Amino acid sequence: MTGVHVAGPALFARYAYPPNELGYCGADDASALLRQATGTVTDQDRSRAQQFDGAWPYLAALARGVGVDDPLDPRVIEAYWLGGPLLDSVNSEQLVAHLRREFGKRNDTGLLSDLDGRDRALAHHSFHVLVVYPWARLLRKHGAVPLSVLQNCRIRWGEVREVGDEYAEVMSSPLVFDGNQLLRGPEAVEPVRWNVDGIPLGPDPVRGTLVALHWDWLCDTISVTQAGALDLAEESALEIVNLRLRAREV
């Protein structure tokens, strides 16, 4: 399962590789990140995570909250990607202030500038995707495109139904937008890649197990508890977005 005997940089790479391969964030050499995901970690690989300027401020905040020196501590990495009780170690108001300082120079930080005492900000990837990225603001005007980005960029979980040489079929709940709310919809099967040239991001998928997905990749095998933690973290971010959608603030 995620975090068991896996070095922090390798665990980070498992989830960071999919958008890096697409050229969305991080350094240019995705093959190095793939090597890092297999557990072959060097000092240079440790510094590579800092180039993910969307994720690093959350890792730094979590490390301070947990009381560890290393933002790549595997407990910190797991909390950022999958959630769990460690998220409660970061004060919501302090996190918002920290993120406004870190991301304040960007042209559009989604709903970040609108947050107030009603909102529970979490140092979790779903918060960044749903609240800080600008896509939620575009749902009503542009529909399918922002919804597709939100769906693919979120970390989601599902159950492996079939495993092929390079791809697996996973039953998972996609995001849907009904015009007023962003919700998890009915389960559907989606094909996801689990290896490139025979090199997997995480453990080989096994039919019937739960796995974590990012973009069109299967990143790791996870437990029922971790899947539940992921849902709770995402629901917290969805609550913030839907509050604004229902009030017609986005």
Side-chain angles (χ1 to χ4, degrees):
M1 301 299 176
T2 289
V4 178
H5 307 302
V6 179
L11 187 58
F12 178 81
R14 288 184 181 181
Y15 293 88
Y17 175 78
N20 185 239
E21 180 199 33
L22 294 169
Y24 292 152
C25 52
D28 294 334
D29 188 2
S31 64
L33 202 65
L34 181 63
R35 184 192 68 246
Q36 183 177 326
T38 67
T40 306
V41 178
T42 67
D43 289 340
Q44 183 178 2
D45 293 328
R46 291 184 61 84
S47 67
R48 187 171 287 107
Q50 297 184 48
Q51 298 181 52
F52 286 79
D53 56 0
W56 192 257
Y58 295 92
L59 300 181
L62 277 164
R64 287 194 297 270
V66 175
V68 298
D69 295 329
D70 185 8
L72 292 180
D73 183 293
R75 295 168 295 174
V76 169
I77 302 302
E78 180 177 344
Y80 173 68
W81 293 120
L82 294 179
L86 264 64
L87 293 178
D88 293 329
S89 67
V90 181
N91 175 273
S92 178
E93 292 184 2
Q94 291 177 1
L95 176 63
V96 170
H98 169 65
L99 296 178
R100 284 173 176 165
R101 289 192 298 270
E102 292 292 327
F103 301 137
K105 294 181 180 179
R106 299 187 181 184
N107 291 331
D108 193 340
T109 53
L111 304 175
L112 184 59
S113 61
D114 300 338
L115 299 186
D116 56 35
R118 298 175 295 174
D119 305 302
R120 180 170 176 252
L122 296 177
H124 188 264
H125 184 68
S126 61
F127 177 84
H128 190 65
V129 171
L130 295 168
V131 179
V132 178
Y133 279 166
W135 299 104
R137 286 193 178 277
L138 304 176
L139 281 169
R140 284 203 170 97
K141 289 185 178 180
H142 301 286
V145 172
L147 180 61
S148 176
V149 175
L150 293 172
Q151 160 63 13
N152 285 298
C153 193
R154 65 192 276 252
I155 305 298
R156 58 208 185 275
W157 65 270
E159 180 182 324
V160 177
R161 293 301 177 89
E162 298 290 344
V163 180
D165 291 339
E166 293 184 355
Y167 288 83
E169 292 185 355
V170 177
M171 181 70 78
S172 183
S173 295
L175 286 180
V176 296
F177 180 56
D178 67 3
N180 291 301
Q181 296 185 89
L182 192 60
L183 309 164
R184 285 196 293 269
E187 289 185 329
V189 172
E190 60 175 310
V192 288
R193 192 164 188 174
W194 65 272
N195 76 76
V196 55
D197 297 328
I199 303 174
L201 281 184
D204 293 358
V206 176
R207 190 175 179 180
T209 58
L210 301 184
V211 292
L213 313 174
H214 195 193
W215 288 93
D216 58 348
W217 275 88
L218 189 160
C219 302
D220 209 349
T221 302
I222 64 173
S223 68
V224 172
T225 299
Q226 289 169 322
L230 181 54
D231 278 350
L232 287 174
E234 183 175 74
E235 286 161 7
S236 179
L238 285 171
E239 183 177 351
I240 293 172
V241 172
N242 288 332
L243 180 66
R244 269 70 185 185
L245 286 169
R246 288 192 294 268
R248 299 283 174 170
E249 295 176 14
V250 297

